Amino acid sequence: MTKVIAICNQKGGVGKTTTAVNLAASFAALEKNTLLIDMDPQGNASQGVGFNEAQEEDIHETLHLAENPENLNYEAIKNIIKPTHLEFLKIITAGPDLAVLEIELVNAMSRERRLERVVKILKPYYDFIIIDSPPSLNLLTLNALTAATSVLIPVQCEYYALQGLAELFNTIRLVQKNLNSELKIEGTLLTMYDARLSLSKQVAEEVRNCISEKVFVSIIPRNVKLSEAPSHGKPAILYDVQSSGAQAYVRLAEEIINGEK
């Protein structure tokens, strides 16, 4: 069964896109057919796998196709799906035009379900679909949560780590109640962890104590290779497979796969 994981946190700078790109790449490296969907108008996930310029056919066009479900099929979508440097990883890119979608959808019927319609068509072709949502609780994020089977929440190991999480969990509960009763919390992921700092250890302990949902055993370290990789248009596993950041995301992918068994 295909797992559709939305990567969400309305706070910026928590490693959300880094997680989306590198988790998707790690699944692909483990030979799982994986699709990365960029739902952030900034297009950082697209840049992270080598698409530095906006594409003519991207997620914005795909969501417009989904306005009429009867016209939506794999043939209509397949040309929008782009290959990457990894054999098992494909992407639907995003660009700045996605930012106007909320305005375009203000009066649209079932506006929260556009992405869900697309994902339903694509599920038979992939083992994992990873959705990188924008750093805000807007209509694009609601589309991601409505389309997903689970949500993964990156939390940085810094002072304000828990700030805003209550609002995010409340949004998830509202989505579960009104839009997607099947949505599960995949887990909370500690990112930017620095073992040399007592603060990182304190924050990690606080997150585990305060969040009743699962917190992953895998922890993502603060790692220069993770920061450098996007500027080369590559996930960390292709930029430096031996780096601690790349290896941490492979362990996370294995933890998620093993959790399904």
Side-chain angles (χ1 to χ4, degrees), residues 54-252:
Q55 304 295 299
E56 287 186 13
E57 298 175 315
D58 62 10
I59 190 62
H60 182 258
E61 181 176 341
T62 312
L63 295 173
H64 270 299
L65 286 172
E67 180 179 0
N68 298 308
E70 63 272 14
N71 297 331
L72 194 65
N73 53 57
Y74 184 71
E75 291 299 313
I77 302 172
K78 70 176 184 179
N79 291 330
I80 299 172
I81 301 169
K82 305 292 193 299
T84 71
H85 297 298
L86 286 161
E87 178 185 355
F88 290 90
L89 178 62
K90 305 293 188 294
I91 184 171
I92 299 180
T93 64
D97 57 350
L98 186 58
V100 303
L101 186 72
E102 283 192 281
I103 300 170
E104 296 170 349
L105 294 182
V106 165
N107 297 313
M109 294 288 290
S110 301
R111 58 186 182 176
E112 301 91 352
R113 298 193 178 277
R114 291 286 182 92
L115 184 60
E116 180 188 33
R117 294 169 182 168
V118 174
V119 166
K120 187 176 181 180
I121 298 290
L122 296 175
K123 271 184 175 182
Y125 300 91
Y126 297 96
D127 300 306
F128 289 94
I129 298 176
I130 306 298
I131 307 170
D132 184 33
S133 57
S136 58
L137 297 178
N138 60 14
L139 184 56
L140 297 176
T141 300
L142 283 179
N143 264 268
L145 291 173
T146 304
T149 56
S150 63
V151 54
L152 187 154
I153 304 163
V155 175
Q156 84 279 33
C157 292
E158 294 178 2
Y159 185 67
Y160 293 112
L162 294 171
Q163 191 178 64
L165 279 185
E167 184 183 2
L168 176 58
F169 281 116
N170 185 51
T171 299
I172 292 169
R173 283 191 291 271
L174 287 172
V175 170
Q176 290 169 327
K177 181 178 179 181
N178 299 300
L179 294 167
N180 183 1
S181 61
E182 302 300 314
L183 182 66
K184 304 286 192 298
I185 294 178
E186 190 71 33
T188 300
L189 175 68
L190 295 165
T191 65
M192 304 180 192
Y193 183 87
D194 190 336
R196 299 169 299 177
L197 301 179
S198 59
L199 176 61
S200 285
K201 297 173 184 176
Q202 290 169 7
V203 170
E205 185 177 352
E206 186 176 8
V207 168
R208 289 194 175 98
N209 289 337
C210 294
I211 296 177
S212 58
E213 288 81 5
K214 176 182 177 180
V215 178
F216 288 106
V217 174
S218 304
I219 295 177
I220 309 304
R222 188 175 289 280
N223 176 239
V224 67
K225 299 298 183 182
L226 284 177
S227 302
E228 291 175 352
S231 66
H232 295 268
K234 294 179 179 180
I237 201 166
L238 289 180
Y239 181 62
D240 185 351
V241 68
Q242 298 300 327
S243 66
S244 61
Q247 291 299 309
Y249 277 110
V250 172
R251 287 194 296 273
L252 174 64

